[in-house]
Amino acid sequence: MRFFNWITITILFVYPVNLSSSVYDYIYKNWDIPSYSNYGSSGLIQMPTARFQEEGSLAFNFSHNDPYINGAVIAYPFSWFEASYHYTDINNALYSDSPDFSGNQTYKDKGFDAKFRLFKETSLTPQIAVGARDIAGTSVFTAEYLVMSKRFKNIDFSFGIGWGTLSGNKIKNPLTYISDAYKERIDIDGDTQGGEVNFGKLFKGDAGYFGGLEIAIPNSRGLRMKIEYDGTDYMKEGFPLGRESFSFAFEPIEQPSSKFNFGFVFPVTKELQLKIAQTKGNNLNFGFSYVASWGKKNPVKKSDPYKEVEFQDTFKRVNSRDNLFLYRSAMNKMRDNNLFLQSANLDDDELTVSFTHAAYQSHIRAIGRVARTLDQISPNTVKKFKLINTNAALPLYEVEIDRDSFTKFQKDNLYKLAARKVESRPSKHELIKQKYVPDLNFPVNFFSYAPVIRSQIGGPDGFFFGDVRLSFSNETLFRRNLNLVTTGSIGIASSLQEITLASNSIIEHVRTDIVKYLQESEKYHLKRVQFNYFKDISKNTYMKLSAGLFEEMFGGIGGEILYRPFTKNYGIGAELWRVRQREYKMLFGFRDYETTTGHINLYYTHPKSQVTVALKGGRFLAEDSGINFDFSRRFKTGLRIGAFFTLTDISKEEFGEGSFDKGFYFTIPIDTFLTKYNKRNMGWGLRPLTRDGGAVLNHAYYLWGMTEAGTKSNLTRDWEHIYE
């Protein structure tokens, strides 16, 4: 009952009355932004809550709660789903019992957590969520929970029932009223390779309750106090008894002297929160979290408006005299807005222009800026614009715009009405049939360079090894549809030579020799030297042929074909590669191993949610066969959050630790951080373990990505950008 007494006292002292919502936002700054628990999930201090960030958010959480140091990456692909990957340093145990293998490095634990919202909060009912910790890990922190949260003014109450390590305050498992199967919690079999979800233990065995509240302190720049009644069973979590619990542990964990935890969260900004707390009655806990929302609107305001054409009447008058003047004017003025004319053709009252660009995430924004340029320089006799977007000379679509309608709705930004007069269709565009094709002095080079970091994290030799490098990239165009992509780097500083762990894989080492590649390519290397030839075979069908050094570990020859109907939301493709393993120095030498790898690829994008499901079935680099499943969601800003797993015909024992290949990734548009539009993305991904099973060849210019605008729903999803 002590827990409920504390709640009553707190309400009497801090619960305000009769405050309007507008005053509330002033007094309680950022009061409704969720904070994070020590386990890398939105929560109180140790306990979870039913709160979620908005969809399209990414977060990082760090906490030190002796003997654990926890880092977690959290993603919100939907407003009702929280997924996190945590990496925990357990300081009362060694990585192994062999000093020659891991020295004095402490034990590391990796795991995935997930939480789902079941019911959204209303004025009368709480928000309810169900979640699981460490669902595919070593079960050191495994737990499941059902939790509800309800906000009253400036106090957010949470109460829940937990299983596994959250069963400290014992109650009868309520699910036993449904079935006796929930009485016993079944441990994972001893021959597991890890990385598997053990459905035999979910929500089974002992249950317990927990609860707490988060209080926004008035007029304190967003300071919040947390009080919770801890439901953790500390005899089930980690290695509580030292060597008695685990052979690598060297000392026991101090057990709690109190069930109550107290803490404070201070939001330095809307994104960054600092936290400090007392846990277990005898432990000081501190940490921070950072969250960024990139789903609905670009957080950086652009100072990159459309550049208007000066002396428009003069251009229209001169261009009415000679079509060549019109074509050249279009090419020059489109370039002012980073749009590059590839061909042009005036036929009666219709002006056709094909173009390419590397500046805009939104294809509609690019279309709108081309149309505005043509409207400002074209003679009044031109009534229609046909615009064709190409990528590597592949025509992705064509849109036909009624000029009068486009200009009529521009002033009031009535983009929905303007869209009614825009027709879109697939294109079979051929440059040689156009009246104007500007000459290009091939070859054309595009060069860039930037610092990069290569890293090896979480191995037995040490937590982190890496090197700092200067990377360069060059693209040479020999023709519009023929290029050479070269990427390499030069080392600046490195600790990679300190890694001593060798691969223990019993199948072909197509990935697990990563340490040898890192060490022997330390001074300088070539990551990629790849020739590419692109061709549109017919409407909606695209082809790529490639040869060279595709990635760090393999080079060879092969190709890809993709059928992507413009009016549909699916694609069907195939790829076939004959490759040979590269030498560890990553220059032009090869090793003996060679193989043929290929896949049938199926894609489907749900147009409303922008969720893409991709299936890749066939033969992988280690000559195992199976299917790769990839799920991702794209947001309005261009942010993409995804996860994958691969199942092949090799056994868990052959695959090794982890049992099967899996991981997650996200890509963030570069212009998220810039004041100028930019089409490029930067990506980050994580595999808990590097193994040889399910390995896919990494080559440049995947056709599905290159033809992203080749589907009507992808093209027209951003109509609000047409006048920007």
Side-chain angles (χ1 to χ4, degrees), residues 15 31-34 49-52 79-80 116-129 147-159 214:
Y15 189 72
W31 66 284
D32 58 346
I33 298 175
T49 65
R51 298 303 176 195
F52 294 75
S79 60
W80 47 264
F116 301 88
R117 188 183 68 209
L118 301 179
F119 299 100
K120 196 171 183 179
E121 183 178 15
T122 69
S123 59
L124 298 177
T125 60
Q127 186 153 292
I128 301 176
V147 62
M148 60 185 71
S149 297
K150 186 74 180 77
R151 184 174 284 115
F152 295 96
K153 300 290 184 177
N154 65 318
I155 305 178
D156 195 14
F157 294 89
S158 291
F159 181 82
E214 187 169 358

Side-chain angles (χ1 to χ4, degrees), residues 565-577:
F566 181 76
T567 58
K568 307 297 181 181
N569 297 305
Y570 64 83
I572 302 172
E575 55 185 308
L576 184 65
W577 311 94

Side-chain angles (χ1 to χ4, degrees), residues 68 92-93 140 234-253 255:
Y68 309 123
N92 74 317
V140 175
Y234 288 97
M235 292 301 294
K236 292 182 177 179
E237 179 185 81
F239 314 127
L241 301 178
R243 191 172 292 274
E244 292 183 36
S245 299
F246 183 59
S247 60
F248 298 168
F250 53 80
E251 66 180 16
I253 298 174
Q255 292 301 301

Side-chain angles (χ1 to χ4, degrees), residues 377-388:
I377 65 170
S378 298
N380 295 330
T381 54
V382 176
K383 301 300 182 183
K384 293 181 181 178
F385 302 131
K386 182 189 290 185
L387 310 182
I388 302 166

Side-chain angles (χ1 to χ4, degrees), residues 29-30 220-224 265-270 272-274:
K29 186 178 180 181
N30 298 331
S220 60
R221 298 180 59 193
L223 180 68
R224 283 175 276 176
V265 174
F266 178 70
V268 180
T269 65
K270 190 175 182 180
L272 177 64
Q273 297 180 344
L274 305 180

